[in-house]
Amino acid sequence: MVGSVGLPRRKAREAAYDLAVATQQLADLAETRAIDETVELVGLVGLVIDATTDRILGGHIAGFDAGNLVHEVVIAMACGADRWNT
């Protein structure tokens, strides 16, 4: 599955943002382990970040339950979280 919200890298670059990108293996996230420990958690989470303000511009998840997990990024973006306060 794939879940996505906000700007992908290409669109953020086109909008002239100074970018930082954060990635994490899906298996390393506590929430994915809590969902079902019997599933092999292969996947990736990526955040597109404005390096000037540290605000999250987009989040993209590929892997098990990505369509539901992306809502965590939606909430973080809606609350104005930055890459240090997620």
Side-chain angles (χ1 to χ4, degrees), residues 12 16-22 47-57 82-84:
Y17 284 103
D18 181 22
L19 294 185
V21 177
L47 296 178
V48 178
I49 300 162
D50 179 345
T52 303
T53 65
D54 287 329
R55 293 310 265 278
I56 301 168
L57 302 173
D82 59 35
R83 69 172 152 176
W84 308 113

Side-chain angles (χ1 to χ4, degrees), residues 6-85:
L7 295 175
R9 280 188 242 181
R10 182 180 53 82
K11 292 280 189 182
R13 282 192 192 106
E14 289 172 2
Y17 284 103
D18 181 22
L19 294 185
V21 177
T23 58
Q24 183 72 43
Q25 293 295 317
L26 193 60
D28 294 338
L29 300 178
E31 183 164 343
T32 58
R33 284 181 276 164
I35 291 170
D36 187 346
E37 293 183 20
T38 65
V39 174
E40 184 178 344
L41 298 172
V42 176
L44 189 67
V45 177
L47 296 178
V48 178
I49 300 162
D50 179 345
T52 303
T53 65
D54 287 329
R55 293 310 265 278
I56 301 168
L57 302 173
H60 314 284
I61 303 174
F64 176 74
D65 210 27
N68 289 321
L69 292 171
V70 76
H71 292 283
E72 301 294 331
V73 181
V74 172
I75 292 167
M77 290 173 67
C79 292
D82 59 35
R83 69 172 152 176
W84 308 113
N85 298 306

